[in-house]
Amino acid sequence: MVTIGIVTRNIHGWATTQLTRAIIELGHETFPFNFRSLYTEIGESGYKVFSNNVDLGEKLSALIVRPLGRLSFEQAFFRMDTLHLLENLGVPVINSPKAIEIAINKHRTLALLSKSGIKVPYTVVTENVNEAVKRLSFEKGIVVKPLFGSKGLGSFLLKDRDFAWRVLADLRYLRHVLYLQEFLKHGGRDIRAFVVGENVVAAMCRELPGSWKTNIARGAKPKPLKVTEEITEIAVKAAKIVGCDVAGVDIVEVEGEKYVIEVNSQPGWKGIQRVTKIDIAKKIVEYVVKEKIKR
Ligand SMILES: Nc1ncnc2c1ncn2[C@@H]1O[C@H](COP(=O)(O)OP(=O)(O)O)[C@@H](O)[C@H]1O
Ligand SMILES: [Mg+2]
């Protein structure tokens, strides 16, 4: 029997409840705790990381990380540093803090994917409005996204050059970095592949006719999708490049070509669980126990 920690914003949340159930069903001990309960004690003989008086370096055989949420700079560094410190104490962290740092950042992720031969949409990332506008063609539309966004929030579509110039200048003035991407005409449908280790354990189409954002959080409906070899190859490769053991890979298909638009390092699976009989939480826990726990 091993003890698997789950660090989360809400220990009663759906995914944490699913993981807890799976951990217990597989005969192990679960230790869910809140990010806000974390503290590090640093003294003469090094450091220890605790939650609720429990020495996590001693207690945990592995730690599963749920979404960190919207954070201040200090909170983001503290939470990520704490994950790094736990990993340095020998606790396998899933996903690893390094992978989370890459995946959370759409700029770095897309560059790495593209360098490794994964098809991605043409994208310009800059603080310079002139450089951006010069390089983009607005006829088909340009998608503007927050670097660190999720759930489709904060991204929008630009179709007019003058309007684009004005809006981008304002974003620049507010100190945003501009992440600008060619619009792929997908017809209100994309693919989410849920990767665990070397496998896509489930896939779905997300459909929202008349909308270009197909996040479940924006109202898209999940439809079952057969996991093909092609989807597995693309999604597992993308997850690996970013360093994720568990990932939700978003794929847009246009004229038979598949483009990866992002890799989510802390994917939810409530939507995809509705269209598959596979027990996703169990797949995650089985993978952690078999592949990540060494002690
Ligand atoms: N370049 C694009 N062309 C067309 N649709 C896009 C593009 N990028 C994103 N989308 C749509 O917007 C959704 C959200 O974008 P995504 O990059 O996955 O960011 P988020 O982190 O908000 O999920 C996608 O699921 C897709 O439906
Ligand atoms: Mg997405």
Side-chain angles (χ1 to χ4, degrees):
M1 188 176 91
V2 296
T3 302
I4 301 178
I6 308 165
V7 62
T8 174
R9 285 171 296 169
N10 175 11
I11 58 170
H12 304 297
W14 185 86
T16 302
T17 308
Q18 289 282 312
L19 288 168
T20 292
R21 169 195 54 78
I23 291 167
I24 293 166
E25 277 177 18
L26 289 166
H28 302 294
E29 187 189 0
T30 179
F31 188 76
F33 59 94
N34 209 294
F35 281 109
R36 285 183 185 270
S37 71
L38 281 167
Y39 57 99
T40 306
E41 261 182 11
I42 304 166
E44 275 174 18
S45 54
Y47 70 87
K48 286 181 176 177
V49 180
F50 293 89
S51 163
N52 304 316
N53 287 322
V54 175
D55 179 342
L56 297 174
E58 286 290 318
K59 171 91 177 166
L60 301 182
S61 306
L63 175 64
I64 298 174
V65 184
R66 295 297 304 144
L68 284 97
R70 235 184 125 78
L71 305 172
S72 70
F73 257 119
E74 288 196 353
Q75 284 178 310
F77 272 101
F78 170 68
R79 291 185 185 189
M80 291 310 300
D81 286 346
T82 308
L83 296 179
H84 277 290
L85 291 175
L86 277 168
E87 202 172 57
N88 290 346
L89 289 173
V91 179
V93 178
I94 298 99
N95 284 307
S96 79
K98 191 161 169 246
I100 294 172
E101 279 159 10
I102 296 174
I104 225 158
N105 180 341
K106 286 188 168 66
H107 174 210
R108 200 150 139 215
T109 299
L110 215 72
L112 293 178
L113 294 181
S114 142
K115 183 83 168 47
S116 299
I118 298 248
K119 232 185 198 23
V120 300
Y122 175 73
T123 304
V124 177
V125 189
T126 180
E127 295 181 52
N128 187 305
V129 177
N130 286 326
E131 294 296 349
V133 171
K134 214 159 56 187
R135 282 172 175 74
L136 300 167
S137 144
F138 287 87
E139 291 79 62
K140 289 186 188 154
I142 292 295
V143 176
V144 185
K145 297 183 201 176
L147 274 193
F148 300 156
S150 69
K151 298 185 175 169
L153 289 173
S155 51
F156 59 96
L157 194 56
L158 281 175
K159 289 196 162 171
D160 178 87
R161 183 173 290 271
D162 292 339
F163 186 61
W165 205 96
R166 176 63 202 266
V167 171
L168 297 179
D170 282 352
L171 283 176
R172 167 72 191 92
Y173 183 74
L174 293 169
R175 294 172 182 264
H176 289 283
V177 173
L178 309 172
Y179 183 96
L180 309 158
Q181 194 163 72
E182 77 174 300
F183 175 64
L184 300 171
K185 206 157 180 277
H186 52 55
R189 175 184 180 277
D190 77 353
I191 296 168
R192 163 59 69 92
F194 201 99
V195 175
V196 179
E198 297 289 324
N199 300 301
V200 171
V201 296
M204 66 173 163
C205 278
R206 302 183 293 188
E207 291 182 3
L208 189 54
S211 169
W212 67 271
K213 287 188 210 176
T214 55
N215 301 75
I216 299 289
R218 301 276 64 76
K221 294 276 167 291
K223 299 270 166 68
L225 181 70
K226 192 169 173 284
V227 179
T228 59
E229 257 178 48
E230 187 194 17
I231 290 177
T232 301
E233 193 184 317
I234 295 172
V236 170
K237 184 174 174 188
K240 247 197 194 127
I241 290 163
V242 174
C244 286
D245 295 298
V246 175
V249 180
D250 291 346
I251 301 168
V252 167
E253 193 171 348
V254 187
E255 291 166 3
E257 295 284 355
K258 291 189 173 58
Y259 299 80
V260 173
I261 53 170
E262 72 159 345
V263 176
N264 295 275
S265 64
Q266 296 141 7
W269 63 91
K270 203 172 180 178
I272 199 166
Q273 189 65 81
R274 296 213 302 263
V275 296
T276 179
K277 289 199 168 65
I278 303 279
D279 184 340
I280 295 175
K282 209 170 223 168
K283 289 281 178 197
I284 296 172
V285 176
E286 278 171 350
Y287 171 79
V288 168
V289 172
K290 187 156 177 271
E291 303 294 338
K292 305 305 286 187
I293 296 177
K294 302 276 185 283
R295 57 182 192 182

